[in-house]
Amino acid sequence: MTIIYIFWLCIIFACLYFLFPWIYGHILRKIQKKKALSTNTIFLTFDDGPGNRLTPQILAILKENGIKATFFLLGRNISGREHLVQSSIKDGHMIASHSYSHLHAWKVLPWKLIHDIKKGWSAVSAAVISVTVNAKHVYRPPCGKLNLFSLLYLWICNVPIIFWTVDCLDTWPESKRNINYAAQKIEAEGGGIVLFHDFDRATDSLDSYVLASLNAVIQTGKELGYNFSTIDKLYKKRN
Ligand SMILES: [Zn+2]
């Protein structure tokens, strides 16, 4: 009898800890996608940076095209690259957080993850001189994963959680990559939240892929007359 109770307790725990945040994330992603598509908007988002090689090149492309984007910074990559964060802000882009160490919410203890989220916010705040040290920044969960405690914590902190709807595939295996994939998906769906990565990889072999993919999305968006916006348009109430 005891074994059956333990079994059901484990099932209930797994549903609450993994499944509920996963379903919530899935619904939130759909809502965010609907908002993007209903306004024919493209949200360009860059994760895991800043990077010494890609971030300046991305900023130059965005400036050339008069487009504002959102950078989900990885706390551990900020040190020594604060000037890139400040350049992004100066150019009118939005700065958000992607945690400090990129921990997977299903693979670490919940308090370790919450500590990492807080550490990520502090690193962003330290680089963004105009905000207070304890500021909480818009958050994108690493690998798109949340657990029950990280979700509750973000709710308590009243922090918007942002997902993506189109992946440019720059972290996928070579056989899956396609420079035009994100642009084609944007065209087929009518907008979306596009995910790129601007961190320093071990080699620069993928930098040209990211830049070409970004240029393809911008070109497609402009040809179709779509809007480009920072991610705050997804959760801020219209006046
Ligand atoms: Zn990431």
Side-chain angles (χ1 to χ4, degrees):
M1 212 55 177
T2 317
I3 291 171
I4 293 171
Y5 282 135
I6 292 170
F7 172 78
W8 280 110
L9 274 175
C10 289
I11 296 287
I12 291 165
F13 174 78
C15 285
L16 282 173
Y17 192 78
F18 301 108
L19 195 60
F20 172 68
W22 183 81
I23 293 170
Y24 174 80
H26 196 68
I27 293 168
L28 194 57
R29 193 187 293 253
K30 288 215 173 238
I31 292 170
Q32 291 173 355
K33 182 174 178 175
K34 206 175 160 191
K35 277 191 185 174
L37 304 196
S38 67
T39 53
N40 286 129
T41 303
I42 299 171
F43 297 92
L44 301 175
T45 68
F46 301 90
D47 283 15
D48 297 6
N52 286 324
R53 290 196 309 270
L54 266 180
T55 310
Q57 296 185 75
I58 288 166
L59 288 176
I61 291 173
L62 296 174
K63 190 178 256 181
E64 203 180 295
N65 287 280
I67 290 170
K68 307 296 178 213
T70 307
F71 290 84
F72 287 91
L73 306 178
L74 192 63
R76 71 174 179 214
N77 284 342
I78 293 175
S79 179
R81 301 184 182 98
E82 289 83 354
H83 62 290
L84 294 171
V85 181
Q86 280 144 30
S87 295
S88 310
I89 295 167
K90 208 172 122 219
D91 288 356
H93 303 298
M94 186 174 158
I95 296 301
S97 176
H98 192 45
S99 83
Y100 187 87
S101 310
H102 212 275
L103 300 178
H104 191 297
W106 293 4
K107 297 178 182 172
V108 293
L109 293 167
W111 48 89
K112 214 175 163 186
L113 183 70
I114 288 171
H115 175 73
D116 200 67
I117 293 172
K118 286 158 88 173
K119 206 174 162 188
W121 284 337
S122 298
V124 172
S125 294
V128 182
I129 297 161
S130 58
V131 301
T132 56
V133 178
N134 293 323
K136 294 169 177 69
H137 303 274
V138 175
Y139 184 72
R140 172 174 279 166
C143 312
K145 293 288 185 295
L146 294 159
N147 62 43
L148 180 65
F149 294 104
S150 63
L151 177 58
L152 290 175
Y153 179 68
L154 292 164
W155 276 350
I156 291 165
C157 294
N158 200 23
V159 168
I161 303 165
I162 304 293
F163 290 90
W164 63 93
T165 66
V166 181
D167 190 332
C168 84
L169 311 179
D170 60 338
T171 56
W172 286 56
E174 197 175 353
S175 58
K176 302 263 185 198
R177 280 183 231 134
N178 171 0
I179 283 167
N180 294 311
Y181 174 79
Q184 286 164 353
K185 201 150 188 247
I186 283 291
E187 186 170 1
E189 295 186 342
I193 308 165
V194 195
L195 169 67
F196 303 90
H197 296 85
D198 62 332
F199 65 99
D200 285 330
R201 293 168 167 94
T203 69
D204 62 0
S205 59
L206 269 174
D207 292 2
S208 55
Y209 176 92
V210 174
L211 297 173
S213 184
L214 172 63
N215 276 318
V217 170
I218 291 174
Q219 201 186 331
T220 302
K222 285 195 158 185
E223 279 170 13
L224 295 171
Y226 289 177
N227 307 301
F228 289 87
S229 173
T230 50
I231 216 81
D232 51 338
K233 193 178 168 188
L234 276 179
Y235 58 86
K236 272 189 183 164
K237 287 192 183 100
R238 286 180 206 158
N239 293 321

